[in-house]
């Protein structure tokens, strides 16, 4: 009897995870839309989750492209460069002035 209750609970949890997966929720990555002159002037923005990657704004109206630091380093936004992991420290993230325009 306990096995049947456990199986039913597992089934409900699996069904719930399929219906309500986090994949449908867009999490911001810090990618700027490069819609403003300010974004072009700043040029580089940190990736929110990939600490060894950063965004580059080079052309106004074109979303930023992803760049990566060499393997033994991470992006430090305050230095605006890749630094060795031993010199990297956490800093709070902030959304850029614009985000990429949604595509259909």
């Amino acid at each position: 009897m306990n096995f049947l209750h456990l199986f039913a609970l597992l089934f409900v949890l699996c069904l719930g995870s399929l219906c309500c997966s986090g994949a449908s929720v867009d999490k911001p990555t810090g990618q700027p839309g490069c819609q403003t002159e300010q974004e072009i002037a700043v040029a580089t923005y940190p990736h929110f989750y990939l600490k060894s990657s950063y965004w580059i704004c080079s052309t106004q109206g074109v979303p930023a492209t992803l760049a990566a630091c060499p393997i033994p380093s991470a992006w430090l936004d305050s230095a605006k460069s890749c630094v060795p992991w031993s010199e990297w420290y956490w800093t709070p993230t902030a959304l850029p002035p614009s985000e990429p325009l949604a595509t259909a």
Side-chain angles (χ1 to χ4, degrees):
M1 187 73 170
N2 284 338
F3 178 73
L4 186 58
H5 286 74
L6 183 61
F7 180 74
L9 178 63
L10 182 62
F11 179 75
V12 169
L13 289 174
C14 288
L15 185 62
S17 68
L18 290 175
C19 293
C20 307
S21 70
S24 63
V25 177
D26 289 332
K27 294 182 180 179
T29 60
Q31 181 183 20
C34 306
Q35 302 295 323
T36 66
E37 290 181 20
Q38 175 191 3
E39 289 171 304
I40 302 302
V42 172
T44 56
Y45 292 85
H47 192 285
F48 286 178
Y49 306 108
L50 305 174
K51 298 306 177 189
S52 60
S53 298
Y54 58 99
W55 299 104
I56 300 174
C57 261
S58 55
T59 307
Q60 191 167 351
V62 178
T65 56
L66 189 63
C69 293
I71 288 182
S73 60
W75 179 257
L76 184 60
D77 197 45
S78 61
K80 293 288 184 197
S81 66
C82 296
V83 298
W85 278 104
S86 60
E87 295 176 20
W88 182 87
Y89 54 89
W90 182 86
T91 56
T93 55
L95 287 173
S98 74
E99 293 182 13
L101 300 174
T103 57

